[in-house]
Amino acid sequence: QVQLVESGGGSVQAGGSLRLSCSASGYTYCMGWFRQVSGKPREVVARILTASGNAYYADSVKGRFTISRDNAKNTLILQMNNLKPEDTAMYYCAARSISWGGCVGLDAYSYWGQGTQVTVSS
């Protein structure tokens, strides 16, 4: 079992920055940040392989967001810069502890945080 606790959401004006953190309680093979707007499907923002640090970003956030891991603290971080109103969503941290089967798609992740709201005003 892996427990995930997110923090760091909030409200910011367009062009501003926020930093999301996700503290994990156990072993993770890969982790990711996802976001969801009410009435729309949850979508991947970025994901990372825990051991190697190899990361993937959605096209919409490339060059603005950075996903990273503090392995000593077992914490996943999402640094969000140059935020846009379209980044407004509930952001969720997710983790997978099984090392086979891949890390692509929502179904790959067994563990989810409670979500943290990010609101960007124009």
Side-chain angles (χ1 to χ4, degrees), residues 27-104:
Y27 167 77
T28 61
Y29 172 67
C30 56
M31 297 185 74
W33 287 100
F34 295 78
R35 65 187 181 187
Q36 187 170 23
V37 175
S38 180
K40 294 187 177 181
R42 191 170 297 187
E43 62 179 13
V44 64
V45 175
R47 61 176 182 262
I48 189 168
L49 295 179
T50 302
S52 68
N54 287 345
Y56 162 87
Y57 296 91
D59 287 343
S60 58
V61 305
K62 278 182 183 176
R64 300 188 298 121
F65 291 12
T66 302
I67 189 172
S68 62
R69 277 270 307 181
D70 183 337
N71 286 335
K73 297 181 180 179
N74 214 14
T75 299
L76 180 71
I77 296 165
L78 184 69
Q79 178 65 43
M80 305 186 292
N81 298 328
N82 190 21
L83 282 159
K84 302 176 180 180
E86 51 263 43
D87 294 319
T88 295
M90 184 71 78
Y91 283 69
Y92 296 90
C93 171
R96 176 182 179 87
S97 58
I98 298 173
S99 59
W100 54 267
C103 298
V104 178

